[in-house]
Amino acid sequence: MSRQFFVGGNFKMNGTIKSITDIVHNLNDAKLDEKTEVVISPPALYLLLCREHLRKGIEVASQNVFDKPNGAFTGEISASQLQDSGISWVLTGHSERRVILGEDSDFVARKTKAALESGLGVILCIGETLEEREDNKTIDVVTKQLQAVAESTKDWSKIVIAYEPVWAIGTGKVATTDQAQEVHSAIRSWLGSTLSPDAAEKTRIIYGGSVSEKNCKDLAKQTDIDGFLVGGASLKPAFVDIINSKL
């Protein structure tokens, strides 16, 4: 089957009302590949701004979600609150949250489960450090991160896996097309053996890590790369070129 190409834009902790409104207007006015699913993920403060002004067909993702439905959890946001606000996607497992905020794979799995149970789509981020890659532990690391989620979640139909080598995020370094394809292929094999052949065939696996308008077309040609999770470049007009990388 043909998996729908998926491009997400993770704004991280960047943007103002004006700059994010400008990005939204640029996306609204651009001619985008109709076959590509597009989701943008602004800081939490601007989720509703984006949802209110984006044209139909472009979705919004929260950069975070908590694993409890409500309660005394200062600073957190629940999956049900996101759904209530018309936010249809969420990121979990991003390396910046794993490393800087100490979120382990079990917590990522609980957050993923909570989001899915509330009807949200999940962009599940995984990836290895440079040290782990140099020690030839890449596949072991990413499959362990995936296994934590698989232990509590059997239906992966609303999960998009984002493979983001930590050493390539925001560094300007990019995995070669062969390196990215190799890991994506291994992830797909893991899906087939751990979940089901159907999950392996249907689950989208996207690449993140210094994706730009200069390298996206070559990456998009790879058999097991089903799209991108874009960081810094999603804040620029060139994001449109990345969305259209299959054209």
Side-chain angles (χ1 to χ4, degrees):
M1 64 165 289
S2 178
R3 294 177 293 271
Q4 185 181 15
F5 207 68
F6 184 104
V7 176
N10 178 13
F11 296 180
K12 306 190 181 186
M13 198 176 70
N14 292 300
T16 62
I17 290 176
K18 183 183 185 306
S19 68
I20 290 177
T21 301
D22 288 345
I23 291 170
V24 167
H25 288 163
N26 184 53
L27 290 173
N28 286 345
D29 294 340
K31 183 173 176 54
L32 304 180
D33 185 350
E34 295 180 355
K35 296 180 180 178
T36 295
E37 186 169 4
V38 180
V39 177
I40 63 170
S41 187
L45 193 60
Y46 307 118
L47 286 168
L48 290 178
L49 172 72
C50 289
R51 183 60 284 156
E52 181 179 351
H53 294 288
L54 273 172
R55 63 179 165 91
K56 184 178 179 181
I58 302 176
E59 296 300 323
V60 180
S62 173
Q63 295 178 18
N64 187 36
V65 67
F66 201 54
D67 65 332
K68 304 293 190 298
N70 52 62
F73 304 106
T74 301
E76 293 297 334
I77 188 168
S78 74
S80 58
Q81 288 171 331
L82 292 170
Q83 187 195 51
D84 183 50
S85 300
I87 309 304
S88 53
W89 286 87
V90 66
L91 273 66
T92 63
H94 195 283
S95 65
E96 288 156 3
R97 297 196 65 86
R98 291 182 190 263
V99 174
I100 299 171
L101 298 173
E103 295 189 359
D104 62 21
S105 290
D106 289 338
F107 186 37
V108 172
R110 295 198 305 272
K111 292 178 16 165
T112 300
K113 186 173 187 287
L116 293 170
E117 288 179 344
S118 288
L120 303 178
V122 174
I123 302 170
L124 171 62
C125 303
I126 58 172
E128 84 285 6
T129 64
L130 182 58
E131 182 181 4
E132 289 164 340
R133 171 164 282 277
E134 291 176 341
D135 288 343
N136 295 314
K137 295 179 179 177
T138 296
I139 306 305
D140 185 46
V141 168
V142 299
T143 53
K144 281 183 177 179
Q145 291 170 340
L146 291 169
Q147 183 62 41
V149 176
E151 288 175 4
S152 59
T153 298
K154 303 309 176 188
D155 181 1
W156 286 50
S157 60
K158 296 192 74 171
I159 292 179
V160 171
I161 299 171
Y163 167 60
E164 295 195 296
V166 178
W167 49 271
I169 298 174
T171 62
K173 297 179 180 179
V174 186
T176 66
T177 53
D178 288 343
Q179 285 174 324
Q181 169 57 27
E182 178 185 19
V183 179
H184 282 232
S185 177
I187 292 169
R188 202 169 302 286
S189 295
W190 177 88
L191 287 167
S193 60
T194 305
L195 297 175
S196 69
D198 187 60
E201 178 66 24
K202 293 180 179 178
T203 302
R204 290 174 290 182
I205 308 169
I206 63 177
Y207 173 79
S210 297
V211 176
S212 72
E213 73 279 12
K214 297 177 181 178
N215 58 35
C216 62
K217 285 189 176 293
D218 285 339
L219 287 164
K221 293 175 183 176
Q222 301 305 302
T223 304
D224 291 299
I225 295 180
D226 303 314
F228 304 113
L229 182 57
V230 186
S234 66
L235 300 166
K236 304 173 183 177
F239 186 45
V240 170
D241 298 323
I242 299 172
I243 292 171
N244 291 335
S245 57
K246 294 287 280 186
L247 293 178

